[in-house]
Amino acid sequence: MSDPPVPAIEPDRLADLRNRAASRLTGAAAAKGSTARAADALTVLHALASSPETAADALTLLHELQVHQVELDLQAQELHESRAELESALRRQIEIHDHMPVGCFAIDPRMVLHEINQTGAVMLGVARDDAYGLPLDAFFCAESAGLFRSALSGLDAGTRRPPCLLKLCPKHRPERRVLARIGADPAARGYLVTLTDAGDEQDHSPDAA
């Protein structure tokens, strides 16, 4: 046989009961841990249930608390699922960024590398972990390094330089011509740089080094 339905309680009466219960849990109980506070709450409910005048109200209040606990559990589950989805999406974006056919770099005003994708590390001829802290212009041939530094000078947020053709000198690899696109980093004080193999592209600056 199912349990009899718990009688509804008027909102004003419920609010009064909650205030009374809260007042009994203030003071010393506020400094206790969650387990101690839960024990105190049960004591309050027991006290209400022990009085014929408030026994029915105590049962209703307990039901309200149980419903509230279920709501909190459902909210916690939704938050956990949302976090798992966000973490999965972030991992996917990182994988896509790493394997783009373009070298992606984030550098500070001194041209020191702070972010680099896997394609960029391969283009530089170094392990990605070894690239952090190195100046990106050190991987260009002398004249191209000068052009690269000039392209960075005076670059404001929201603006991008026209692409320029540079000569890359990777570690332990042959020289290669790359097309560099440079923009100010909107999220930090620095620059975002992409490098692609020049190939047969014709939309670059004629200033090749």
Side-chain angles (χ1 to χ4, degrees), residues 1-208:
M1 180 181 296
S2 60
D3 296 332
V6 178
I9 186 170
E10 296 180 359
D12 292 343
R13 178 60 174 164
L14 180 59
D16 178 64
L17 281 172
R18 287 174 176 168
N19 289 335
R20 287 164 57 193
S23 67
R24 298 189 187 190
L25 293 173
T26 56
K32 297 180 180 179
S34 59
T35 302
R37 289 196 300 270
D40 288 341
L42 290 175
T43 301
V44 171
L45 283 173
H46 182 269
L48 292 173
S50 299
S51 172
E53 297 179 355
T54 58
D57 291 341
L59 182 61
T60 303
L61 181 58
L62 176 60
H63 176 72
E64 293 285 338
L65 292 174
Q66 290 172 332
V67 171
H68 183 61
Q69 182 61 54
V70 172
E71 292 174 349
L72 291 176
D73 291 341
L74 290 174
Q75 291 175 9
Q77 180 180 350
E78 290 179 356
L79 287 173
H80 177 75
E81 292 173 353
S82 297
R83 178 175 178 176
E85 291 176 359
L86 288 173
E87 289 177 346
S88 177
L90 178 59
R91 286 193 297 270
R92 177 58 178 158
Q93 290 302 315
I94 291 174
E95 291 175 356
I96 292 174
H97 179 262
D98 262 353
H99 295 90
M100 287 178 62
V102 176
C104 300
F105 312 86
I107 59 176
D108 66 18
R110 298 177 302 160
M111 291 171 283
V112 172
L113 283 160
H114 288 273
E115 296 179 30
I116 178 173
N117 68 346
Q118 185 59 38
T119 302
V122 172
M123 294 181 76
L124 299 185
V126 297
R128 178 159 56 177
D129 289 343
D130 295 335
Y132 297 120
L134 299 177
L136 182 57
D137 61 331
F139 291 90
F140 294 112
C141 299
E143 188 174 352
S144 289
L147 291 174
F148 180 71
R149 288 190 289 268
S150 296
L152 291 180
S153 63
L155 189 62
D156 297 324
T159 62
R160 300 182 69 88
R161 293 291 191 205
C164 55
L165 185 65
L166 303 174
K167 186 178 293 184
L168 188 66
C169 299
K171 302 292 184 180
H172 312 297
R173 289 172 178 263
E175 297 178 359
R176 61 197 295 183
R177 290 183 180 274
V178 294
L179 195 63
R181 292 179 171 84
I182 306 166
D185 188 343
R189 185 170 174 267
Y191 309 97
L192 299 177
V193 181
T194 63
L195 299 179
T196 56
D197 283 317
D200 296 326
E201 293 196 52
Q202 301 296 324
D203 61 341
H204 53 71
S205 167
D207 298 327

